[in-house]
Amino acid sequence: MDMRLTIGWLYASKMNIYGDRGNVIALRRRAEWRGIPVDVREIGMGQPIPPDIDLFFWGGGQDQEQAAVARDLQGAKGETLRAAIDDGAAMLAVCGGYQLLGHEYRPHDAEPLPGIGLFDAVSVAGPDRFIGNVVVESRWGDLVGFENHSGLTTLGPGVEPMGRVRTGRGNNGRDGTEGAIYRYAVGCYLHGSLLPKNPVLADWLVARALERRHGFVDLTLLSDQMEAAAHASAVQRAVLTR
Ligand code: GLN
């Protein structure tokens, strides 16, 4: 079967802040540069999760958007998303999206928002906003992004974090962790957008997504000179400014 990548963009119009749409552009381009055709499907409010999504992306959003989206995901929709990840689909979720992949997010002065429990994690709005550049030591090497959140995420005992914070605050500014991983789903607080300047993670997501239907995938290497320069400059800025 000819290889093609289908990306499901969750709540594209409602949850897309701090450049998060750049992640979808990077995923699309990095597949197309290898001759792999890509479909991007927006999955909005009231729309079911299509059965043929290889890779989900879910960006950040403010608390009010999260409330509407949390309600939309309850029941069959959230269960279908969880089943897709259990079946090997890949996913990147950032900030507000990441928080709703846990058990719940408790905003300031509002009822807790239910998550889908993909990650054994709980997020609670804290007194301060964490804003700034972040460097995370991870299995993909140093990852760099920009955080802007008041939510503090605590991972359950068995949850693998995306990595450990070298610079910045991360999940909660307390335990040194940032993000979470479950199978091929990665959640984090790294806006920016993350993937254009972290190509190793971008390619890991593309390869895992393709493998679900096509078996082992060995992506050809790309030159990535611009990506490497952007990564180095962002890491330097992060280390110098925090
Ligand atoms: N609830 C999130 C927070 O912790 C929303 C922010 C975001 O998605 N950047 O502030």
Side-chain angles (χ1 to χ4, degrees), residues 15-234:
M15 293 190 65
N16 169 36
I17 50 178
Y18 310 126
D20 288 342
R21 68 180 302 115
N23 293 301
V24 176
I25 297 169
L27 290 167
R28 175 198 274 278
R29 287 283 179 274
R30 296 189 70 82
E32 289 175 344
W33 287 335
R34 285 140 164 153
I36 301 168
V38 178
D39 290 323
V40 177
R41 307 255 184 84
E42 295 193 14
I43 306 167
M45 299 286 285
Q47 293 180 322
I49 304 282
D52 59 346
I53 303 295
D54 303 308
L55 205 172
F56 292 92
F57 175 68
W58 187 0
Q62 298 309 343
D63 289 11
Q64 62 271 23
E65 272 88 13
Q66 281 184 285
V69 158
R71 279 191 301 276
D72 184 62
L73 258 185
Q74 285 311 294
K77 189 163 178 175
E79 282 156 25
T80 306
L81 179 57
R82 244 194 0 238
I85 301 300
D86 278 330
D87 185 53
M91 181 167 197
L92 174 67
V94 180
C95 201
Y98 166 39
Q99 291 170 338
L100 291 177
L101 290 179
H103 297 302
E104 71 175 10
Y105 168 61
R106 299 179 204 143
H108 290 297
D109 316 321
E111 286 302 302
L113 304 180
I116 67 166
L118 184 76
F119 296 131
D120 176 16
V122 173
S123 301
V124 183
D128 307 313
R129 244 191 129 68
F130 293 170
I131 300 176
N133 297 303
V134 184
V135 180
V136 179
E137 292 171 351
S138 80
R139 64 162 88 166
W140 300 284
D142 272 356
L143 299 174
V144 62
F146 177 80
E147 64 183 334
N148 181 336
H149 58 104
S150 66
L152 305 173
T153 298
T154 303
L155 304 181
V159 180
E160 180 184 356
M162 169 195 247
R164 302 207 56 85
V165 173
R166 199 151 72 83
T167 301
R169 309 302 297 274
N171 275 331
N172 50 53
R174 198 181 50 246
D175 64 10
T177 67
E178 161 52 8
I181 302 173
Y182 171 72
R183 291 180 59 80
Y184 303 140
V186 178
C188 66
Y189 278 110
L190 302 180
H191 292 288
S193 47
L194 175 64
L195 295 181
K197 52 182 178 290
N198 295 282
V200 177
L201 175 55
D203 285 354
W204 184 85
L205 287 164
V206 170
R208 299 296 78 77
L210 290 168
E211 281 171 358
R212 182 184 180 196
R213 295 182 207 282
H214 302 288
F216 179 70
V217 167
D218 183 13
L219 293 177
T220 52
L221 287 180
L222 298 174
S223 69
D224 281 346
Q225 282 154 349
M226 198 176 304
E227 291 79 357
H231 185 276
S233 137

